[in-house]
């Protein structure tokens, strides 16, 4: 339906309603159109007035749609009015309503009301990311950085993951401020990026650079660069952190993973203890491997090719350097089918060891076990991020070691079978105090990626 351009009288609304095929949802459909067309607020108001006269009240979902239009247009007094109506009529609001109210108010001069609402939300649920971030941005816009950081820390404590957008806003709003405490907080955000292996995109990286260069009397200078394979920064000649774990770090990590992830609860949900024991025996009798391959995962790299051909290409590519390969397969790969040809499978088995698990098994635990038992040199191939296992590692030090080990040992295969070598230096935000090195990506990526960026921002204090 096309919304009218000006407010209508009761009989005009009635006429439109009667012409509509499903009169019982007329208001909702009409309001959806108004949101889409960004109709004038008085047009929507005349529809609500008509509805209230006819029914005596207005349903919750209709109010929410009206509220959406008010927020879209920044109609603060209307947002406050709707909130007053809702407060009286409904004992509790759901998170969608709070998201809208807080977003609408935080963008206005009534932004402190959004903070009051956030407190109200906390009594009944964990506020959404949108609620927190609307309030953080409002506080930052009004230069209340201390409050913004309190909300940010509270958000992290409740495991609500911030968007890069809100992290970037901290750097934008802090430009030119001379405040040692604030500086410490912003360094904290850079360390959060390090801890969680997050790579900022180009515009976020620029905000970081501009903030550093704007610190009064700070004498920071930023340069964009590419790090040499040796790990030396061409700008400041500083050597980046080594990607290798020390022998002690490696043994701690492999003990923890084998204990927590592999023998912990998480393997046996997807595989039987007998199968995992058979796998361990298989591995122990053939150690060490140089490369462990998640066969099923790699077989899906090119959708237009047969799965066994994809795997065959990967095995051929990796077997070149006389590497000892272990491929983790599934039993169904041994059945001759349109995707799995027996003769190709036989040929691959001449070049690599294969372990075929039950069709329902979870590969990650097998992959981690075989790689870690083979020693520090062994690398692995999968397009998965092994996200789940990070959660099983309870302390942040082990998680950090796991990520660092992953960055140095996971071979990334793109859709053309070119292998990205593991870097000698560690691709993660790092600092020596008077230098910062920040790896960044050209474009924003919502999903986590193990493919490390090649571009860096070097910031040094002169």
């Amino acid at each position: 339906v096309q919304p009218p351009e000006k407010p209508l009288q009761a009989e005009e609304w009635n006429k439109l309603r009667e012409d509509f095929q499903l009169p019982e949802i007329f208001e909702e459909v009409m309001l959806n159109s108004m949101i889409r067309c960004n109709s004038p607020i008085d047009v929507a108001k005349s529809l609500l007035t008509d509805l209230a006269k006819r029914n005596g009240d207005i349903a919750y979902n209709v109010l929410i749609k009206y509220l959406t239009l008010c927020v879209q247009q920044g109609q603060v007094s209307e947002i406050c009015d709707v909130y007053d109506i809702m407060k009286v009529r409904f004992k509790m609001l759901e998170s969608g309503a709070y998201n809208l109210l807080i977003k609408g108010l935080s963008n206005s001069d009534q932004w402190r009301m959004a903070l009051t609402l956030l407190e109200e939300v906390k009594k009944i649920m964990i506020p959404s990311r949108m609620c927190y971030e609307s309030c953080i941005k409002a506080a930052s816009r009004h230069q209340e950085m201390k409050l913004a950081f309190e909300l940010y820390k509270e958000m992290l404590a409740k495991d609500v993951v911030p968007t890069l957008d809100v992290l970037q806003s901290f750097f934008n709003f802090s430009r030119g401020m001379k405040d040692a405490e604030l500086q410490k907080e912003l360094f904290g955000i850079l360390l959060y990026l390090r801890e969680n292996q997050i790579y900022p995109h180009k515009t976020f990286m620029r905000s970081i650079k501009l903030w550093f260069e704007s610190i009064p009397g700070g004498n920071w200078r930023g340069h964009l660069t590419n790090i040499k394979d040796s790990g030396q920064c061409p700008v400041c000649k500083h050597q980046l952190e080594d990607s290798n774990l020390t022998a002690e770090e490696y043994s701690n990590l492999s003990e923890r993973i084998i204990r927590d992830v592999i023998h912990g609860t998480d393997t046996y949900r997807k595989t039987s203890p007998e199968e995992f024991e058979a796998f361990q025996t298989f591995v122990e009798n053939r150690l060490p491997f140089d490369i462990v391959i998640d066969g099923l995962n790699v077989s899906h790299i090119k959708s237009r090719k047969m799965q066994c051909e994809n795997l065959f290409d990967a095995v051929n590519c990796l077997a070149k350097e006389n590497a000892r390969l272990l491929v983790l397969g599934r039993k169904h790969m041994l059945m001759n089918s349109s995707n799995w040809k027996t003769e190709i499978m036989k040929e691959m088995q001449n070049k690599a060891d294969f372990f075929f698990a039950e069709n329902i098994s979870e590969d990650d635990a097998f992959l981690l076990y075989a790689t870690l038992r083979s020693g520090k040199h062994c690398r692995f191939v999968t397009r998965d991020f092994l996200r789940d296992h990070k959660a099983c590692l309870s302390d942040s030090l082990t998680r950090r070691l796991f990520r660092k080990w992953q960055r140095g040992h996971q071979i990334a295969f793109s859709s053309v079978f070119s292998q990205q070598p593991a870097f000698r230096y560690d691709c993660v935000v790092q600092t020596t105090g008077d230098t910062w090195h920040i790896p960044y990506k050209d474009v924003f990526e919502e999903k986590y990626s193990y493919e490390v960026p090649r571009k860096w921002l070097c910031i040094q204090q002169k």
Side-chain angles (χ1 to χ4, degrees):
V1 285
Q2 199 50 40
E5 279 163 27
K6 53 183 202 330
L8 302 183
Q9 298 300 322
E11 52 276 13
E12 295 172 292
W13 280 122
N14 256 340
K15 171 95 181 70
L16 282 178
R17 192 178 291 103
E18 282 160 11
D19 293 345
F20 189 67
Q21 292 163 333
L22 297 159
E24 62 280 4
I25 57 163
F26 171 75
E27 282 78 17
E28 282 185 59
V29 175
M30 180 56 81
L31 280 162
N32 280 340
S33 293
M34 290 182 183
I35 294 166
R36 212 172 35 249
C37 303
N38 205 18
S39 299
I41 209 77
D42 54 353
V43 178
K45 221 170 166 175
S46 83
L47 174 64
L48 259 62
T49 309
D50 176 58
L51 185 61
K53 278 183 186 153
R54 277 191 19 258
N55 292 1
D57 66 4
I58 299 166
Y60 185 86
N61 50 352
V62 173
L63 274 174
I64 290 285
K65 288 190 192 302
Y66 178 63
L67 181 58
T68 306
L69 187 65
C70 297
V71 170
Q72 191 169 296
Q73 298 184 4
Q75 303 273 357
V76 185
S77 62
E78 284 300 310
I79 295 170
C80 295
D81 289 352
V82 174
Y83 176 51
D84 290 339
I85 294 169
M86 291 181 116
K87 226 169 24 183
V88 174
R89 291 241 340 256
F90 309 104
K91 276 199 180 69
M92 241 170 77
L93 308 182
E94 38 73 65
S95 60
Y98 282 119
N99 280 350
L100 281 168
L101 290 163
I102 288 174
K103 183 182 172 186
L105 294 166
S106 63
N107 281 329
S108 74
D109 52 0
Q110 300 285 325
W111 67 279
R112 289 196 180 274
M113 222 174 120
L115 296 172
T116 313
L117 263 180
L118 184 68
E119 289 307 312
E120 209 174 287
V121 177
K122 281 188 226 167
K123 290 177 192 157
I124 45 177
M125 59 179 110
I126 291 181
S128 70
R129 171 155 82 180
M130 190 176 173
C131 287
Y132 270 120
E133 296 198 345
S134 298
C135 292
I136 288 172
K137 283 184 180 167
S140 307
R141 253 198 308 276
H142 294 85
Q143 301 291 289
E144 299 224 7
M145 298 313 291
K146 196 163 176 264
L147 171 61
F149 273 106
E150 275 167 19
L151 291 169
Y152 163 69
K153 285 178 182 158
E154 187 182 294
M155 187 179 175
L156 292 183
K158 293 190 166 145
D159 282 333
V160 181
V161 178
T163 58
L164 292 191
D165 180 47
V166 84
L167 297 180
Q168 183 181 349
S169 73
F170 278 114
F171 289 91
N172 290 341
F173 288 120
S174 305
R175 225 170 271 172
M177 290 189 193
K178 192 177 172 71
D179 177 343
E181 196 49 45
L182 177 67
Q183 204 168 310
K184 218 170 87 192
E185 297 286 18
L186 288 154
F187 287 164
I189 291 182
L190 294 175
L191 295 172
Y192 171 82
L193 298 180
R194 172 189 170 92
E195 189 70 30
N196 293 283
Q197 194 183 326
I198 295 166
Y199 302 123
H201 47 79
K202 205 187 264 170
T203 51
F204 185 2
M205 175 277 295
R206 287 214 181 99
S207 296
I208 295 170
K209 180 176 182 289
L210 288 169
W211 170 72
F212 267 104
E213 293 174 343
S214 79
I215 300 171
N219 294 329
W220 291 96
R221 279 288 153 267
H223 296 274
L224 308 188
T225 186
N226 291 341
I227 303 292
K228 298 176 176 157
D229 286 345
S230 65
Q232 191 189 47
C233 170
V235 180
C236 65
K237 305 294 178 258
H238 178 75
Q239 188 65 32
L240 293 191
E241 291 172 33
D242 194 333
S243 65
N244 278 324
L245 271 57
T246 64
E248 189 185 356
E249 285 176 333
Y250 182 79
S251 85
N252 284 345
L253 178 70
S254 53
E255 270 170 36
R256 284 297 301 273
I257 291 187
I258 286 172
R259 191 185 78 209
D260 292 6
V261 177
I262 294 170
H263 294 313
T265 50
D266 111 312
T267 351
Y268 295 137
R269 267 188 262 147
K270 310 267 175 62
T271 182
S272 68
E274 296 77 34
E275 180 175 51
F276 200 71
E277 273 159 36
F279 174 68
Q280 282 173 292
T281 310
F282 174 90
V283 167
E284 297 300 328
N285 290 336
R286 290 169 179 77
L287 284 174
F289 296 103
D290 297 316
I291 300 176
V292 181
I293 302 166
D294 179 345
L296 195 61
N297 183 286
V298 171
S299 73
H300 288 287
I301 282 186
K302 288 186 183 169
S303 51
R304 285 196 286 283
K305 280 185 101 161
M306 241 193 293
Q307 285 175 24
C308 62
E309 283 179 351
N310 278 331
L311 185 54
F312 187 66
D313 290 348
V315 166
N316 273 345
C317 173
L318 294 165
K320 278 191 191 117
E321 308 128 34
N322 290 328
R324 293 204 54 225
L325 310 182
L326 168 63
V327 179
L328 300 173
R330 293 284 211 282
K331 288 193 172 153
H332 73 254
M333 295 176 176
L334 293 168
M335 320 276 278
N336 200 21
S337 66
S338 60
N339 260 315
W340 298 100
K341 296 286 174 235
T342 307
E343 62 276 15
I344 297 181
M345 290 302 291
K346 280 211 175 92
E347 201 177 327
M348 270 193 274
Q349 283 165 282
N350 295 330
K351 298 185 177 192
D353 279 301
F354 270 76
F355 181 84
F356 295 99
E358 289 296 338
N359 294 332
I360 51 166
S361 300
E362 184 52 81
D363 288 4
D364 288 357
F366 290 73
L367 186 80
L368 290 172
Y369 182 83
T371 310
L372 288 163
R373 285 293 294 128
S374 291
K376 258 175 86 166
H377 73 290
C378 183
R379 294 178 301 156
F380 62 93
V381 184
T382 177
R383 288 150 71 222
D384 278 350
F385 307 134
L386 308 182
R387 233 4 196 185
D388 315 349
H389 297 296
K390 200 178 136 208
C392 306
L393 300 167
S394 45
D395 63 297
S396 65
L397 174 69
T398 313
R399 278 203 294 269
R400 212 185 73 229
L401 289 178
F402 178 65
R403 281 276 164 250
K404 185 173 179 178
W405 172 76
Q406 183 182 2
R407 285 192 295 273
H409 290 78
Q410 182 160 0
I411 298 173
F413 260 111
S414 53
S415 53
V416 289
F417 277 97
S418 64
Q419 190 190 324
Q420 269 196 3
F423 290 105
R424 303 229 323 251
Y425 56 89
D426 197 9
C427 196
V428 65
V429 172
Q430 41 193 280
T431 179
T432 59
D434 59 356
T435 67
W436 281 86
H437 288 89
I438 299 167
Y440 68 93
K441 298 211 156 179
D442 276 335
V443 288
F444 169 65
E445 285 176 0
E446 177 60 81
K447 68 178 183 16
Y448 169 87
S449 166
Y450 60 75
E451 287 186 22
V452 291
R454 301 298 180 106
K455 298 181 173 180
W456 289 73
L457 166 65
C458 160
I459 301 169
Q460 53 180 331
Q461 201 167 23
K462 286 282 193 277

